[in-house]
């Protein structure tokens, strides 16, 4: 063939792709976060759970006017103490003074005369700063000091601010009560009975231990730490700064990686940032050089337990329920260490990754927050600060929250204030935590205007691409959302944005399992998806190739189940995608049939070979290197158990077989630059040993990738037929001799063979003119230069 991607079966329509692909990768984990809750028709008090209110005790209130009030918070009356500036009617002097402060920066900052607090709210009529001071009161009798801000003295534009003198440099918890117009139809949701979390809080204090229900009523507060010394990154510390062409990405969950007892770690370390450090040698042995971490922003893992519902037995262990965009997940600290420890230990983890030459990419969720929908509102921050600014609203429908995220709300990302919040957040993670890149969950949401309509040149997407601080970062879009905006190959990119290639996932799955008519499009995908990305200055590495991700089946389940088995989720099988392009290889689920198990093993290896020889950026899922199963559950977001947790015992059992193959195949990719070019292939780079592209029944494809530098060509063949195929091995052209020398190959991979013969890194001399390729298997031969 003269060019890649020509004479291929047509791709499905964009409309059809939008419906299926967004359904496959997003709604499964979210069905119910808003929609299932709405079906229960149960109410929820705005002050319960981990959200607003929920705090009781003495309230010391500083106001320009004398007043006596009583507030009801989570069913308990807090005793307000009438105050004038610095004088308490109870006779206790409070050593705090406040002044007007300044509008920037937002959040908490140090100033000459104390600490400055600044928060944006365009539509608020009153803002009160609430402070919980250390060493004052007990758990049931807590001092909360409140400063009611003056519109004339403490407000600049739409930013409310105050400077407080006399506060400790750490250990203070703070939040805000905010009131304003009550017009629901105008988009307002103000409620000053709730203490709200500052969107710019760099640390968040709440529950300390992951999924401990007795801590559920904890109030969320922002906090800060100006006492600790700057983190010591080390004199010899360097950022990896890996070329995008060289990445092999490992998608993983911080908690699930070491939460299981089989990790061998102590209970205080399991599931923590520090626990991950202990297991970095495993990742080095595997060969990956970038980790993509499921969300580590502060999130609400107990959101499913807010009120009785069919899913209240589960815990949101994936983390797609953001509370705050600046603070690291508090409960990933070891031993319940709290927010300051979480920040320090996250930096320790990043430093350890970098010292091992591994980059850290964060899966970030800027498309929605934890505050749910209007049917069951959960007020913790944005909704009570300025709902009309922070969220997309449908003013043709009673100003209800628009839902392009599948979670009940959609962040209004291209509003100037929200856009700057996102940019400030990203810069913070890069500067403070040395993060190397970001994968943007449901990134098509970020391409919508305030009314939800798609934008041709979304300001946020452009600004991320052009930002100087983010210029060294990898930026990756999940280019679809739950509103059907499917942008694979069309994501606004400014030649910077990479994309999760959902079409790669689907087409590789279908060819390997033997669907007819997939040979041509399989060739297009493994050669870099030029049909999608060869535009302007985009490169093959802008296609993030994956077959498996956290959503959907694991690799083992992809070859073990024809349909989902989600009964454990409590939704009667209504959740999760029904279209997985999977094949159980003859028996559904667990089996002891050796023939079926052998076929499944071959298929998993075939998928991995295809992924590692494809042009583009490969990404694999944690656990696939030993064959992790979720027993057919393709929507396992709610299980903080062995279903999601890495099983270190199984890894050890399969170290010399399955794991060895996966590791050696990754290393083969690293050792062969022709598999990771920074330009698209042309007709001189690859030879397709094929003359029947239009044969819909043909499920065999062979090709040679040429090495113009050393002559180390690579021959590959994939047989998805049920029968053997006798392949003719082409002559190899020797660069050094300038002549055609037949049969100058070494056999390195045959997925039909048992370990260790299935992959031989040093190669086995091959002298034949043909190779008999087994059903559902693949081979790789390396030319001898």
């Amino acid at each position: 063939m003269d060019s890649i991607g020509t004479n291929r079966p047509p791709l499905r329509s964009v409309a059809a792709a939008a419906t299926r692909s967004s359904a496959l990768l997003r709604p499964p984990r979210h069905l119910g976060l808003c929609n299932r809750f709405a079906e229960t028709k149960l109410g929820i008090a705005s002050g319960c759970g981990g959200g607003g209110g929920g705090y009781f005790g003495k309230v010391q209130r500083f106001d320009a006017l004398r007043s006596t009030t009583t507030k009801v918070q989570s069913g308990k009356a807090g005793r307000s103490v009438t105050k004038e500036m610095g004088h308490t009617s109870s006779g206790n002097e409070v050593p705090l003074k406040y002044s007007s402060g300044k509008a920037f920066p937002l959040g908490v900052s140090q100033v000459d005369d104390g600490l400055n607090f600044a928060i944006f709210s365009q539509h608020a009529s009153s803002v009160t700063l609430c402070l919980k001071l250390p060493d004052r009161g007990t758990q049931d009798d807590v001092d909360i000091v409140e400063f009611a801000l003056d519109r004339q003295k403490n407000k600049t534009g739409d930013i409310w601010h105050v400077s407080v003198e006399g506060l400790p440099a750490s250990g203070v918890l703070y939040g805000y009560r905010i009131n304003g117009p009550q017009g629901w139809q105008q988009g307002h949701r103000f409620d000053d009975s709730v203490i709200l979390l500052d969107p710019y809080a760099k640390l968040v204090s709440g529950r300390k231990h992951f999924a401990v229900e007795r801590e559920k009523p904890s109030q969320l507060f922002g906090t800060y730490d100006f006492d600790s010394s700057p983190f010591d990154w080390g004199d010899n510390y360097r950022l990896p700064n890996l070329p995008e062409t060289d990445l092999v990405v490992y998608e993983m969950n911080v908690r699930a990686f070491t939460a299981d007892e089989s990790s061998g770690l102590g209970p205080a370390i399991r599931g923590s940032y520090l626990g991950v450090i202990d297991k970095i040698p495993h990742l080095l042995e595997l060969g990956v050089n970038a980790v993509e971490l499921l969300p580590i922003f502060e999130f609400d893992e107990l959101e499913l337990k807010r009120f009785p519902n069919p899913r209240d037995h589960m815990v949101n262990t994936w983390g797609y329920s953001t509370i705050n965009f600046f603070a690291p997940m508090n409960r990933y600290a070891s031993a319940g260490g709290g927010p300051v420890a979480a920040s320090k230990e996250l930096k320790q983890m990043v430093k350890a990754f970098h010292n091992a030459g591994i980059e850290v990419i964060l899966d970030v969720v800027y498309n929605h927050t934890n505050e749910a929908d209007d049917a069951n509102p959960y007020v913790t921050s944005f909704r009570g600060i300025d709902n009309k600014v922070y969220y997309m609203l449908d003013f043709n429908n009673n100003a209800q929250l628009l839902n392009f995220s599948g979670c009940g709300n959609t962040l209004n990302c291209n509003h100037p204030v929200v856009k700057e919040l996102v940019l400030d957040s990203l810069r913070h993670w890069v500067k403070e935590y040395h993060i190397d890149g970001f994968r943007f969950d449901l990134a098509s949401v970020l391409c919508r205007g305030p009314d939800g309509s798609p934008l041709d040149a979304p300001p946020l997407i452009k600004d991320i691409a052009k930002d100087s601080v983010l210029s060294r970062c990898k930026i990756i879009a999940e280019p679809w959302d739950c509103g059907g905006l499917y942008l694979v190959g069309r994501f606004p990119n400014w030649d910077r944005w990479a994309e999760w290639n959902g079409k790669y996932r689907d087409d590789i799955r279908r060819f390997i399992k033997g669907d007819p008519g997939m040979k041509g499009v399989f060739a297009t995908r493994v050669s870099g998806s030029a049909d999608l990305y060869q535009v302007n200055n985009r490169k093959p590495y802008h296609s993030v190739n994956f077959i498996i991700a956290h959503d959907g089946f694991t690799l083992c389940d992809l070859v073990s189940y024809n349909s989902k088995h989600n009964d454990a989720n409590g939704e009667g099988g209504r959740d999760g995608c029904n279209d997985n392009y999977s094949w159980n290889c003859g028996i559904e689920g667990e089996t002891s049939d050796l023939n079926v198990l052998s076929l499944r093993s071959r298929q998993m290896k075939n998928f991995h070979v295809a992924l590692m020889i494809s042009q583009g950026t490969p990404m694999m899922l944690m656990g696939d290197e030993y064959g992790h199963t979720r027993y057919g559950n393709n929507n396992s977001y709610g299980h903080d158990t062995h279903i999601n947790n890495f099983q270190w015992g199984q890894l050890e059992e399969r170290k010399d077989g399955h794991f060895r193959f996966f590791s050696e195949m990754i290393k083969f990719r690293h050792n062969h630059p022709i598999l990771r070019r920074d330009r698209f292939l042309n007709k001189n780079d690859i030879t397709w040993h094929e003359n029947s592209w239009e044969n819909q029944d043909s499920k065999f494809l062979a090709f040679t990738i040429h090495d113009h530098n050393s002559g180390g060509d690579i021959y590959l063949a994939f047989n998805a037929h049920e029968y053997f195929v006798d392949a003719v091995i082409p002559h190899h052209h020797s660069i050094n001799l300038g002549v055609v020398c037949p049969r100058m190959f070494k056999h390195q991979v045959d997925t039909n063979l048992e370990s260790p013969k299935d992959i031989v890194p040093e190669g086995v001399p091959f002298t034949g003119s043909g190779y008999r390729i087994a059903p559902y298997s693949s081979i790789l031969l390396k030319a001898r230069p």
Side-chain angles (χ1 to χ4, degrees):
M1 301 295 291
D2 292 336
S3 61
I4 305 304
T6 59
N7 298 322
R8 305 286 189 259
L11 297 171
R12 63 180 183 274
S13 70
V14 171
T19 300
R20 203 212 65 76
S21 189
S22 62
L24 176 59
L25 280 184
R26 179 55 45 203
R29 71 159 177 255
H30 289 315
L31 279 177
L33 293 192
C34 60
N35 299 333
R36 292 281 82 80
F37 281 170
E39 288 176 7
T40 65
K41 305 301 182 187
L42 295 174
I44 178 169
S46 61
C48 74
Y55 226 88
F56 19 86
K58 295 177 289 185
V59 178
Q60 299 180 349
R61 187 170 179 82
F62 291 75
D63 235 286
L65 299 176
R66 296 177 61 87
S67 63
T68 303
T69 60
T70 301
K71 288 190 177 293
V72 177
Q73 305 167 56
S74 290
K76 290 194 177 183
R79 180 165 56 86
S80 289
V81 181
T82 305
K83 293 225 167 260
E84 282 186 344
M85 306 286 193
H87 297 282
T88 154
S89 60
S90 63
N92 297 322
E93 190 71 26
V94 179
L96 298 176
K97 299 179 181 179
Y98 74 100
S99 56
S100 60
K102 58 181 184 177
F104 292 100
L106 293 172
V108 183
S109 57
Q110 287 183 303
V111 292
D112 290 341
D113 55 351
L115 294 174
N116 191 78
F117 297 80
I119 188 170
F120 164 88
S121 182
Q122 178 181 346
H123 297 101
S125 59
S126 68
V127 174
T128 300
L129 174 65
C130 306
L131 300 173
K132 178 184 177 293
L133 305 180
D135 303 322
R136 294 196 180 195
T138 64
Q139 182 175 357
D140 296 320
D141 184 24
V142 178
D143 277 337
I144 294 183
V145 179
E146 298 190 351
F147 293 95
L149 307 191
D150 187 297
R151 294 179 62 93
Q152 303 302 317
K153 299 177 181 178
N154 301 104
K155 187 169 185 283
T156 302
D158 296 325
I159 298 176
W160 301 73
H161 46 80
V162 62
S163 178
V164 184
E165 183 179 350
L167 287 175
S170 63
V172 173
L173 308 182
Y174 77 99
Y176 294 90
R177 299 187 190 276
I178 299 180
N179 211 346
Q182 299 302 302
W184 182 286
Q185 292 183 339
Q186 284 72 48
H188 302 303
R189 307 291 189 267
F190 292 106
D191 181 356
D192 68 350
S193 71
V194 179
I195 297 179
L196 301 168
L197 182 64
D198 177 9
Y200 274 80
K202 304 306 187 294
L203 301 172
V204 172
S205 176
R207 297 189 298 270
K208 290 187 176 182
H209 300 91
F210 193 88
V212 175
E213 289 193 57
R214 68 175 179 272
E215 296 185 17
K216 188 169 75 169
S218 296
Q219 167 72 46
L220 295 172
F221 280 103
T223 188
Y224 54 81
D225 176 26
F226 297 114
D227 274 331
S228 297
S229 301
F231 182 77
D232 182 10
W233 291 95
D235 294 337
N236 298 320
Y237 168 81
R238 297 289 183 273
L239 296 170
N241 282 327
L242 300 176
E244 288 181 272
T245 52
D246 294 349
L247 292 185
V248 176
V249 181
Y250 184 84
E251 191 192 32
M252 61 174 286
N253 182 315
V254 166
R255 175 170 171 78
F257 197 46
T258 64
D260 195 81
E261 286 187 24
S262 64
S263 68
L265 302 180
I269 302 297
R270 289 179 208 148
S272 70
Y273 301 118
L274 297 186
V276 172
I277 296 175
D278 191 80
K279 299 299 184 180
I280 288 177
H282 164 70
L283 300 178
L284 291 174
E285 185 180 2
L286 178 60
V288 298
N289 57 15
V291 291
E292 184 173 299
L293 306 180
L294 266 62
I296 63 165
F297 292 5
E298 184 73 22
F299 67 86
D300 183 7
E301 77 276 17
L302 293 181
E303 65 177 357
L304 303 173
K305 301 177 181 293
R306 292 174 187 165
F307 56 84
N309 68 89
R311 302 180 307 131
D312 59 13
H313 61 290
M314 294 197 296
V315 169
N316 184 345
T317 189
W318 284 356
Y320 294 87
S321 184
T322 308
I323 291 173
N324 174 278
F325 298 118
F326 291 84
M329 180 59 172
N330 177 8
R331 290 167 295 288
Y332 284 171
S334 61
V340 175
S343 177
K344 179 180 179 181
E345 292 177 10
L346 172 57
K347 292 173 184 175
Q348 290 176 277
M349 185 188 76
V350 173
K351 178 181 176 179
F353 271 129
H354 285 175
N355 287 340
I358 296 174
E359 292 198 334
V360 179
I361 299 169
L362 300 186
D363 189 339
V364 291
V365 187
Y366 292 108
N367 59 78
H368 75 282
T369 76
N370 69 305
E371 293 190 300
D373 57 10
D374 279 327
N376 298 284
Y378 190 58
V379 183
T380 57
S381 183
F382 307 94
R383 180 182 175 94
I385 293 170
D386 206 326
N387 185 75
K388 192 173 182 178
V389 168
Y390 281 111
Y391 294 114
M392 295 183 191
L393 305 176
D394 184 357
F395 287 100
N396 295 318
N397 182 27
N398 201 31
Q400 294 286 312
L401 293 168
L402 290 168
N403 182 16
F404 297 107
S405 66
C407 298
N409 64 68
T410 309
L411 208 65
N412 189 13
C413 288
N414 285 298
H415 183 287
V417 169
V418 186
K419 175 172 71 74
E420 200 58 37
L421 169 76
V422 174
L423 289 166
D424 287 343
S425 165
L426 293 169
R427 296 178 192 122
H428 174 70
W429 290 100
V430 173
K431 292 190 288 187
E432 184 72 14
Y433 294 98
H434 295 193
I435 297 303
D436 303 290
F438 303 92
R439 176 266 188 188
F440 293 79
D441 181 68
L442 293 185
S444 290
V445 164
L446 281 56
C447 300
R448 294 180 181 272
D451 63 353
S453 59
L455 303 173
D456 292 331
L460 175 59
I461 299 300
K462 179 180 180 181
D463 287 357
I464 291 173
K466 302 292 185 180
D467 189 84
S468 60
V469 174
L470 305 179
S471 61
R472 74 167 181 83
C473 294
K474 282 76 176 177
I475 49 175
I476 305 167
E478 183 183 37
W480 49 79
D481 65 18
C482 290
L485 188 56
Y486 188 77
L487 297 174
V488 172
R490 300 184 297 113
F491 192 84
N493 57 79
W494 285 272
D495 296 327
R496 279 271 285 126
W497 283 81
E499 301 175 18
W500 268 25
N501 189 346
K503 292 182 179 180
Y504 178 95
R505 172 204 61 215
D506 297 347
D507 294 337
I508 300 298
R509 286 186 178 191
R510 294 187 64 192
F511 175 81
I512 295 294
K513 81 183 186 73
D515 282 1
M518 295 304 300
K519 179 170 62 177
V521 74
F522 175 79
T524 301
R525 296 293 159 249
V526 298
S527 54
S529 295
D531 60 327
L532 301 175
Y533 299 108
Q534 195 170 9
V535 179
N536 300 327
N537 290 317
R538 302 197 85 182
K539 307 296 183 182
Y541 54 71
H542 287 128
S543 172
V544 176
N545 300 328
F546 68 103
I547 298 161
I548 303 296
H550 63 275
D551 280 314
F553 283 145
T554 65
L555 186 60
C556 178
D557 290 354
L558 185 69
V559 300
S560 303
Y561 294 90
N562 283 350
S563 58
K564 65 186 182 184
H565 294 261
N566 294 0
D567 291 343
N569 299 352
E571 297 191 60
R574 296 187 302 276
D575 67 312
C577 184
N578 296 317
D579 184 3
N580 300 283
Y581 297 137
S582 62
W583 176 42
N584 64 18
C585 296
I587 296 176
E588 187 75 355
E590 299 292 296
T591 182
S592 58
D593 188 308
L594 295 181
N595 290 327
V596 172
L597 292 175
S598 177
L599 175 55
R600 289 176 179 177
S601 175
R602 294 203 304 276
Q603 288 291 76
M604 284 191 282
K605 289 188 285 188
N606 292 335
F607 279 121
H608 191 60
V609 170
L611 181 64
M612 288 303 145
I613 61 87
S614 294
Q615 302 295 323
T617 302
M619 184 189 79
M620 64 174 292
L621 176 67
M622 175 187 87
D624 282 348
E625 69 267 36
Y626 67 82
H628 183 84
T629 180
R630 295 173 183 157
Y631 305 98
N633 191 324
N634 73 350
N635 187 26
S636 65
Y637 68 96
H639 297 282
D640 188 37
T641 66
H642 67 282
I643 290 180
N644 281 310
N645 292 343
F646 196 100
Q647 300 298 300
W648 294 93
Q650 291 183 23
L651 171 68
E652 286 304 314
E653 293 170 4
R654 301 163 190 176
K655 205 68 177 288
D656 295 332
H658 185 98
F659 173 81
R660 175 184 171 275
F661 184 93
F662 272 55
S663 175
E664 293 296 347
M665 198 65 225
I666 292 171
K667 292 167 186 173
F668 183 88
R669 178 182 178 86
H670 285 313
N671 291 332
H672 293 84
I674 63 173
L675 299 178
R676 41 190 174 85
R677 288 183 167 100
D678 62 359
R679 58 174 177 79
F680 287 95
L681 302 178
N682 59 43
K683 62 182 181 181
N684 297 318
D685 296 324
I686 190 165
T687 298
W688 302 102
H689 307 298
E690 178 60 56
N691 56 14
S692 60
W693 290 107
E694 305 307 320
N695 182 356
Q696 298 291 295
D697 295 325
S698 176
K699 304 173 185 179
F700 177 86
L701 182 65
F703 53 96
T704 298
I705 305 172
H706 299 296
D707 184 345
H708 301 301
N709 294 321
S710 68
D713 293 0
I714 297 173
Y715 173 88
L716 290 139
F718 292 85
N719 180 18
H721 285 292
E722 298 176 347
Y723 49 81
F724 283 86
V725 171
D726 293 315
V728 176
I729 305 303
H731 289 177
H732 166 60
H733 183 270
S734 173
I735 298 294
N736 296 329
L737 298 176
V739 296
V740 174
C741 302
R743 300 177 294 280
M744 296 286 288
F745 283 99
K746 284 187 176 182
H747 154 252
Q748 294 199 252
V749 173
D750 185 339
T751 60
N752 184 53
L753 301 178
E754 297 294 325
S755 181
K757 294 181 179 180
D758 53 356
I759 184 166
V760 183
E762 65 276 12
V764 176
F766 176 79
T767 58
S769 59
Y771 199 107
R772 189 164 171 77
I773 303 176
Y776 298 110
S777 68
S778 53
I779 68 167
L780 185 155
L781 308 179
K782 170 73 184 302
R784 290 180 286 175

